[in-house]
Each structure stands twice: as structure tokens, then as C-alpha cells.
Amino acid sequence: MDTAKSRMKKAATPEVDRSMQSILLKEGLLLVLLALAIYLFLALFSYSPEDPGWSRTGDPNNIANDVGASGAWIADVLLILFGYLSYLIPIMLAYRAFVLFRERKQIEIFSWSMFALRTVGFLLTLIGATALANMHFLTELPESAGGILGGTLTGMTLPVLDLIGSTLLSLTFLFVGITLATGLSWISVVDMTGKLCLSSWQQASSFIEKWREERKEKQETLSVISRRKQALDTFKEKEKSRKPIKIAPVKKKAPEPSKRVQKEKQGKLFSAGEVGELPPIALLDEWVESLNSGYSTEALEAMSKLLEIKLKDFGIDITVEAINPGPVITRFEVQPAPGIKVSRISGLAKDLARSLAVSSLRIVEVIPGKTVIGIEIPNERKELIQLSQVLSAEEFDNAKSPISMALGHDIGGNPVVVDLAKMPHLLVAGTTGSGKSVGINAMISEYFV
């Protein structure tokens, strides 16, 4: 057993050693490449034509280069050979240091073929870049922007391919060289660029759409404020020349006693009632004034002004000419301005009800005998109509038919008396629980109870 464990330890030891050696070599090479990249960058960045170098002499005791005489000499060589593309060398060295740092824990076997491929890629990149710089950039360097290498390449290609062809060839060398040197996939770059552009476009479209909505809301708000200010100014001008609004009595007064009521009050002391004579009205509950129904006069005037202002907000100019309070609803008689179609007001019924803070309202487009339209708003508290009110009215007393029937009051609070002989059918409308059956039973009890 001990022998087997010792063999496993002996077999595992070389693998561990190789792994540690690979990591140590990579970290050492990383530091070397990083230091060399910084050295070359400082040498190139602090280059001065006055420093002594490969192509010129100068004062060795007065060197401006940050890394001394060696930096001045190397910078002079690189700038003459490659021009501004000399900066590509420290950049590529820094990139290889980054790759080593990213892959420091991976065990890799050195490959001469891959090393050669990377070297060829770097040379192609340098060739393409120096040629492009020489053809398209001007410089104050001793040689051209692409150095001796770029000048030599363009001198060979320009007579044969001209500027466009030489540029295309140089771009090909550049892109192929970057791919071989770094392993970069240009198809992936195009794909990533497309996704980035699409994402940017979506974000920009969303931002523009949001900006448009905010701007539209702001314009609508300013428009509403402007319309309200205009409506208020118009309303103030109208108030100066307004005629008094005609209102029916808000509170109902006791009806004038009819002849039948006055006769019944006198009473009969010594004779019974005649055959066919109606029972006395005194048998019914006496009419009592309702103090909590309908709106007050001040409330009706305020509602009429509010109605004009709210319709002005919708671009409709109207004038309230009369108000008819009823037991259940209140009708405002409205005169539209010339050119205003009634259909425009009818289409705003729900919006107008919301603006006036009422549950609902009804637009009466045609009122017989009048040029105005009606806007009917339900009362906050409905008035209770008693049978004695209708039977005591002169309309019932003056009815000629022996089978006249009292139905109640109309929307204006006037008694409604009909001839049953001329009315074989009666339509009673109302929601569930509103008292339709009770009303019919009350009508029947007028004659058959």
C-alpha cells in the first residue's frame, strides 16, 4: 500500500513541477514585457531631435530623453525606420503582457509554429500601418510618417496600384496582421458592432419617444392653461354684459288649493256623499315641503358658470340662458355659439360629467319650440312626489275625463295628468329597485281600491 502511494507521489511530482514552472515563467515574462513596453513608450514620447542618436550627433551632457542616451538612440532608430508606427511596438508588448496575465494559470506548451505565426502577423501589421501612414499623413520627423519602411513600400506600390490600390493593399496587410498577431476575429467585431449599434439605436429611439411624449404632455398642459385663461377672460367679459339667468323656483311652494280642495274643506254636516263622488283628498298624507332636495339658487348659478368654463376648455363656447330645477334632475338651457354643432357637445357627455364631478348627465339635442339645447344633471337628493300633490293641482281638477290618472311630476316639477281612455299602454322605465312596481300599484289603487 505504501509502495502504491509513493509511486503516485513520484508520478504527480513532475506534473506539479511543470505547472509551477509554467506559472513562474509566465509571470517573469509578463514583468519583462511590461517593463520593456514602458521603456520604449517613454523613449518615444520624450524624443528630441537635439539628442544624440543613430542618425545625428548632439551634446551627450544635455539629453532630454526620459530614459537617457539609450532611449534617445533607440527612439531615433525606431522613428526613422517606422515613423509614428513605432508606438505600435510598446502597444503590442503591453497587449502580450495583458494576455499572459489573463492566462497565467493555464498550462501551455510552447509552440514554435504559433510563435512564428504571431511574428508574421506583427510584421504584416507593421507593414500595412507604415504604408498607410506614409501615404496619408504628414510629419516633421526626419523621415516620413511611416518611416523608411513605409516610404520603401509606397515607392514600390504607388507606381503600380496608384493611391487607392495601394491603400486597399495596405489595409489588407493591416487587418490580416492584426488577426494573426492577436487572434482577433473581424466577423465577431462586426457582429459586436452591429449589436452595439442596434442597442444604441433602441435606447436613442426610446429616449426620443419619451422626450416627444413629455414634450407633447407639456404642450397639452400649456394649451389647457392657455384655453382656461382665455376662457376665464372671456367669462369675465361675458359677466359684464350677462343677462340674468332665468331660474324656476328652487324650493317648491304649497300648490294653490283647487276648487275641489276648497269644497272639501267646507265639509257636509247633514248629507252623505253622492254616488260616484271621489273620496276626499284629506284621506291622503298632506304635502310637506322638502328642504333637502335639489340645488340652492347660489349652487345653480355657480354650476352654470362652471359649465361654461368647462365647455370652453374643450373649445366650445356656450351661454347658459335658463335653468329649470326639477324634483329629480335640473335642466340647463344652453345656447351654443354660431357654428358649434350639437354633436360636438353630445360627444363630450362623459368628459363633461367628470369635469363637473357628477355621476352622469344627459344632452337633450332638441327642445321643442326652442333654439337651445338641454343639459340635464341629476340632483344630489331627489324630491319625493306625493299623490296628494298631483290630485290637489288644478290640472287634475280641470281634467274632463272621468278616468283621469295622476302620473306624477315632469322634469320641471309640473303635475302630469293623463286620460286613461286615450292611453292603453304606459312605458315605465327605471333601474332595478327604483320603484316601478310600486308606482304602477299606486296608479291602479287610484280607481280599483
Side-chain angles (χ1 to χ4, degrees):
M1 191 68 179
D2 295 337
T3 306
K5 289 183 178 180
S6 60
R7 289 178 180 176
M8 292 177 62
K9 290 181 179 180
K10 290 180 180 179
T13 301
E15 296 293 335
V16 175
D17 292 342
R18 281 196 296 270
S19 176
M20 290 298 298
Q21 290 174 4
S22 176
I23 294 174
L24 292 175
L25 287 174
K26 284 186 177 181
E27 291 184 359
L29 184 59
L30 184 153
L31 295 175
V32 171
L33 291 177
L34 190 60
L36 184 58
I38 295 174
Y39 173 83
L40 292 177
F41 179 79
L42 291 175
L44 292 169
F45 185 75
S46 60
Y47 168 77
S48 174
E50 305 299 328
D51 291 341
W54 178 57
S55 63
R56 64 186 68 216
T57 59
D59 185 4
N61 298 320
N62 188 20
I63 298 176
N65 200 286
D66 291 340
V67 287
S70 62
W73 194 87
I74 293 175
D76 188 37
V77 172
L78 293 177
L79 290 173
I80 290 176
L81 292 178
F82 309 116
Y84 284 128
L85 273 300
S86 302
Y87 286 93
L88 188 62
I89 298 175
I91 291 175
M92 294 298 294
L93 292 175
Y95 172 75
R96 292 307 304 171
F98 170 74
V99 172
L100 287 174
F101 174 78
R102 185 180 59 187
E103 301 175 353
R104 63 188 182 278
K105 293 184 179 181
Q106 297 180 6
I107 301 175
E108 295 181 356
I109 300 175
F110 180 79
S111 174
W112 283 104
S113 59
M114 183 59 67
F115 176 77
L117 188 64
R118 300 293 189 193
T119 304
V120 170
F122 175 72
L123 293 177
L124 289 176
T125 302
L126 201 59
I127 290 172
T130 54
L132 288 172
N134 187 78
M135 288 186 288
H136 298 283
F137 297 101
L138 298 176
T139 182
E140 296 180 357
L141 294 175
E143 296 293 333
S144 61
I148 295 176
L149 177 61
T152 303
L153 293 172
T154 53
M156 296 170 57
T157 58
L158 282 176
V160 180
L161 300 176
D162 206 358
L163 181 62
I164 297 178
S166 300
T167 302
L168 181 60
L169 180 62
S170 300
L171 286 173
T172 303
F173 283 169
L174 177 64
F175 290 154
V176 172
I178 292 175
T179 300
L180 296 179
T182 64
L184 177 68
S185 174
W186 291 107
I187 297 178
S188 300
V189 171
V190 172
D191 190 24
M192 187 185 306
T193 304
K195 290 181 180 179
L196 182 62
C197 292
L198 182 60
S199 176
S200 301
W201 172 254
Q202 291 176 347
Q203 293 179 358
S205 300
S206 176
F207 174 78
I208 293 173
E209 187 66 24
K210 183 179 179 181
W211 175 76
R212 286 179 177 175
E213 291 179 357
E214 292 178 352
R215 183 181 179 185
K216 183 178 179 181
E217 291 178 358
K218 185 177 180 180
Q219 289 178 347
E220 289 178 353
T221 302
L222 293 176
S223 178
V224 170
I225 294 174
S226 177
R227 288 201 304 267
R228 287 184 176 178
K229 184 178 181 301
Q230 184 180 2
L232 185 60
D233 295 339
T234 305
F235 177 75
K236 290 180 179 178
E237 293 294 329
K238 189 184 293 185
E239 283 294 302
K240 295 179 181 178
S241 59
R242 176 190 289 276
K243 297 179 180 179
I245 301 175
K246 180 181 179 182
I247 304 177
V250 177
K251 296 299 181 182
K252 293 291 182 180
K253 296 181 180 180
E256 294 294 332
S258 63
K259 295 179 180 179
R260 175 187 172 187
V261 175
Q262 294 177 359
K263 183 178 179 181
E264 288 179 355
K265 285 184 177 180
Q266 295 177 1
K268 295 182 180 182
L269 298 178
F270 306 104
S271 62
E274 300 177 0
V275 177
E277 186 177 0
L278 296 175
I281 298 177
L283 296 175
L284 301 173
D285 293 337
E286 187 177 359
W287 180 81
V288 179
E289 180 182 2
S290 177
L291 300 177
N292 296 324
S293 63
Y295 297 97
S296 64
T297 303
E298 294 78 9
L300 290 176
E301 291 179 352
M303 289 181 67
S304 66
K305 296 177 181 180
L306 183 61
L307 187 63
E308 292 180 355
I309 293 175
K310 293 302 180 181
L311 282 173
K312 186 67 177 179
D313 288 343
F314 295 107
I316 299 175
D317 191 10
I318 58 100
T319 302
V320 178
E321 294 191 349
I323 305 174
N324 298 319
V328 178
I329 66 168
T330 298
R331 174 185 287 178
F332 294 82
E333 294 184 358
V334 172
Q335 182 66 59
I340 300 295
K341 294 184 179 180
V342 179
S343 58
R344 289 183 58 190
I345 303 178
S346 299
L348 295 172
K350 293 183 178 179
D351 295 325
L352 195 56
R354 177 182 53 81
S355 300
L356 296 175
V358 295
S359 58
S360 63
L361 58 80
R362 190 171 78 98
I363 308 295
V364 182
E365 297 183 353
V366 178
I367 299 178
K370 296 183 179 181
T371 60
V372 296
I373 64 173
I375 299 179
E376 297 178 351
I377 298 176
N379 294 338
E380 290 181 340
R381 297 179 182 87
K382 299 178 181 179
E383 181 182 350
L384 180 63
I385 307 300
Q386 295 172 301
L387 181 59
S388 60
Q389 288 180 256
V390 186
L391 297 182
S392 301
E394 292 185 0
E395 286 82 356
F396 187 81
D397 202 17
N398 296 332
K400 304 299 182 182
S401 175
I403 53 174
S404 296
M405 184 170 64
L407 292 182
H409 284 181
D410 61 12
I411 61 173
N414 301 314
V416 178
V417 180
V418 296
D419 184 2
L420 187 60
K422 298 180 180 180
M423 190 188 63
H425 302 286
L426 176 65
L427 176 63
V428 181
T431 59
T432 303
S434 60
K436 299 186 295 295
S437 301
V438 175
I440 294 175
N441 292 331
M443 297 173 195
I444 295 175
S445 66
E446 291 183 38
Y447 301 100
F448 302 106
V449 176

